[in-house]
Amino acid sequence: MGKSGVLHRYLSVGEVAKRSGLAVSAIHFYERKGLIASIRTDGNQRRFPRGILRRVAIIKVAQRTGIPLAEIGNALSGLPNNRAPTTQDWEKLSSRWRDDLDARIEQLTLLRDQLGKCIGCGCLSISDCPLRNPSDELATDGPGARLLELDDPQDHEPLDGTS
Amino acid sequence: MGKSGVLHRYLSVGEVAKRSGLAVSAIHFYERKGLIASIRTDGNQRRFPRGILRRVAIIKVAQRTGIPLAEIGNALSGLPNNRAPTTQDWEKLSSRWRDDLDARIEQLTLLRDQLGKCIGCGCLSISDCPLRNPSDELATDGPGARLLELDDPQDHEPLDGTS
DNA sequence: TGTTGACCTAAACTAATGTTAAGGTTCTAT
DNA sequence: ATAGAACCTTAACATTAGTTTAGGTCAACA
């Protein structure tokens, strides 16, 4: 309808939205945040270079791995804005993000295994339970983080709950 | 010190904070959200039953698995507030949460594997790349979700990026 | 008794990730 | 030429998970 057959170099925001699956508002948002960039027409409408689709695809993949937008933008900031990333670019980004993913998966797997062990063990019982004092949280957590001080005798009573 | 040796039944908010590693403000927040409950002294200060520590421990474990507070509160709402959860309670909760965890781990693992396959493949190239159109996102995503319409010839050019 | 630390409430603020609304402009098709 | 779709900007709103601030009260120790 009208546009068919036209191989236009630049995409309007609506076209990017349709083709990327993002909402127009999200595209605006990403642009405000500096993750993507556009040029303007005489009438002040955005025009995106074709490479935007690949760039957006990368953003979406990274988001799925749990990386915050700011960090994605940071990683992406090495790439020229109006050019699709090269294979090398992508290789570098994706292998780094895969490492992040690996780490997160490992953490969750550890948690799951502990959860598995603790199911039905009547556990959560203070000093023994790995779930209650995961060693990896001690160093990195916020101001409230410290060893759980749960060694009082009254904390060790059975889990029947009758106080 | 003064308190040493006193086996007091109830804990002040500060004691709960110290022993759980939560900030006082977070404890207030959880109470406002209905995840925990307290009684008050004559002077209107909160007093928590001992079981609060176990309840808080459960909340923290669930949070680590990525479950939102609202849902945790929901799951916890079956448990009496002034009583520590029984083994059965815990068994039910933890096995359900472990299932959630399992699912999330599986998703991330899938993503990682796809990322692994795509590294260095010059991929992200539209219709072939599993990363760009993960089938599991089609049904569940928000209003903007749709099949990526990325089949135009110009999207298939090599990744060297020179437009 | 006085001061200090712990506690109280309510409201505002933060940060991330966007969406929605309001009011106005431009583009495209007929 | 004009209607309607698509676009523009700015600002406010939404959600999650809290923290911070302000102003005041309570409790415990010397």
Side-chain angles (χ1 to χ4, degrees):
Chain A
M1 332 248 286
K3 272 178 197 164
S4 50
V6 179
L7 274 187
H8 45 320
R9 283 227 157 303
Y10 288 100
L11 303 176
S12 71
V13 69
E15 286 168 329
V16 174
K18 223 169 263 152
R19 297 169 56 128
S20 70
L22 290 179
V24 169
S25 61
I27 297 170
H28 286 174
F29 179 72
Y30 289 169
E31 194 182 35
R32 266 204 316 286
K33 292 293 174 182
L35 278 89
I36 57 180
S38 62
I39 55 175
R40 299 299 176 112
T41 65
D42 281 354
N44 196 35
Q45 296 197 352
R46 289 173 181 82
R47 286 300 177 268
F48 295 91
R50 272 176 310 96
I52 193 69
L53 292 174
R54 208 162 280 128
R55 202 175 169 98
V56 164
I58 289 175
I59 292 169
K60 291 176 84 183
V61 167
Q63 272 201 301
R64 285 214 286 149
T65 74
I67 296 172
L69 275 192
E71 209 174 316
I72 297 171
N74 206 273
L76 241 41
S77 69
L79 312 182
N81 226 314
N82 292 326
R83 208 203 58 199
T86 65
T87 302
Q88 275 77 38
D89 292 334
W90 169 236
E91 200 167 322
K92 220 162 90 182
L93 289 180
S94 59
S95 74
R96 186 169 123 200
W97 287 340
R98 201 197 38 179
D99 290 348
D100 287 2
L101 242 191
D102 271 337
R104 295 212 311 114
I105 288 172
E106 205 174 318
Q107 279 188 1
L108 290 181
T109 302
L110 216 82
L111 178 57
R112 180 193 53 190
D113 292 348
Q114 290 170 347
L115 210 45
K117 274 182 208 127
C118 286
I119 288 176
C121 76
C123 194
L124 275 187
S125 65
I126 327 315
S127 33
D128 311 338
C129 184
L131 278 175
R132 294 196 71 165
N133 196 7
S135 54
D136 50 328
E137 281 199 355
L138 291 179
T140 58
D141 261 14
R146 71 207 48 155
L147 261 166
L148 299 178
E149 300 164 13
L150 295 166
D151 297 314
D152 289 10
Q154 74 261 30
D155 288 326
H156 285 286
E157 63 175 21
L159 271 175
D160 58 21
T162 58
S163 70
Chain B
M1 312 317 223
K3 270 177 196 162
S4 50
V6 179
L7 275 186
H8 45 320
R9 286 226 156 303
Y10 289 98
L11 303 176
S12 71
V13 70
E15 286 168 329
V16 174
K18 222 167 266 154
R19 297 168 57 127
S20 69
L22 289 179
V24 169
S25 61
I27 296 171
H28 287 174
F29 179 73
Y30 289 167
E31 194 182 36
R32 267 204 316 287
K33 292 291 176 184
L35 277 88
I36 58 179
S38 62
I39 56 175
R40 300 298 177 112
T41 65
D42 280 355
N44 196 36
Q45 297 198 350
R46 288 172 180 82
R47 286 300 177 268
F48 294 91
R50 271 176 311 96
I52 195 69
L53 292 174
R54 208 162 279 129
R55 200 172 170 102
V56 164
I58 290 175
I59 291 170
K60 291 177 85 182
V61 167
Q63 273 200 300
R64 284 213 288 150
T65 74
I67 296 172
L69 275 191
E71 207 174 317
I72 297 172
N74 205 273
L76 241 40
S77 69
L79 312 182
N81 226 314
N82 292 325
R83 210 202 58 200
T86 65
T87 302
Q88 275 79 36
D89 292 335
W90 169 238
E91 200 167 322
K92 220 162 89 181
L93 290 180
S94 59
S95 75
R96 186 170 125 201
W97 287 340
R98 201 195 39 178
D99 289 348
D100 287 2
L101 242 192
D102 271 337
R104 296 210 314 113
I105 289 171
E106 206 174 319
Q107 279 188 1
L108 290 180
T109 302
L110 216 82
L111 178 57
R112 180 193 53 190
D113 291 348
Q114 290 170 346
L115 209 46
K117 274 181 209 130
C118 287
I119 287 176
C121 75
C123 195
L124 273 189
S125 65
I126 327 314
S127 31
D128 311 338
C129 184
L131 279 175
R132 293 197 68 168
N133 196 5
S135 55
D136 49 327
E137 280 198 355
L138 292 179
T140 58
D141 260 16
R146 73 208 44 153
L147 260 168
L148 299 179
E149 300 163 15
L150 295 167
D151 297 315
D152 289 9
Q154 74 262 31
D155 287 327
H156 285 286
E157 63 175 22
L159 271 175
D160 58 21
T162 60
S163 72

